[in-house]
Amino acid sequence: MPIYEFSCQKCNSNFETFVISHKNINSVQCPKCGSKKVQKVVSAFNCGCSSGGSLSFGGSSGCGGGSTRFG
Ligand SMILES: [Zn+2]
């Protein structure tokens, strides 16, 4: 099952959600605050750094869509 982990940029909560297609990733909302400013968590980056500032994603190409800048 395509379950992805997301991190909310607004309330900083992580959650997992069922994503049917890649289109749905853009319409994922935080179940806690309802914000759409969510960032897909890449498992490869799961290094155990719980506290921290902003993570920069931008290495992988082909991830079309609007670019969001934090900070
Ligand atoms: Zn949230």
Side-chain angles (χ1 to χ4, degrees):
M1 266 200 268
I3 293 181
Y4 292 92
E5 189 176 356
F6 288 85
S7 173
C8 179
Q9 303 295 313
K10 197 174 178 183
C11 67
N12 280 326
S13 68
N14 282 34
F15 61 94
E16 291 176 344
T17 190
F18 176 78
V19 177
I20 298 169
S21 70
H22 279 272
K23 255 187 168 180
N24 276 32
I25 292 180
N26 293 326
S27 60
V28 170
Q29 283 181 272
C30 173
K32 275 195 177 180
C33 68
S35 172
K36 281 192 175 178
K37 289 194 84 174
V38 295
Q39 181 79 58
K40 186 163 166 283
V41 176
V42 184
S43 52
F45 282 4
N46 204 353
C47 59
C49 327
S50 57
S51 67
S54 49
L55 292 169
S56 314
F57 296 91
S60 58
S61 58
C63 189
S67 57
T68 312
R69 285 189 178 228
F70 306 111

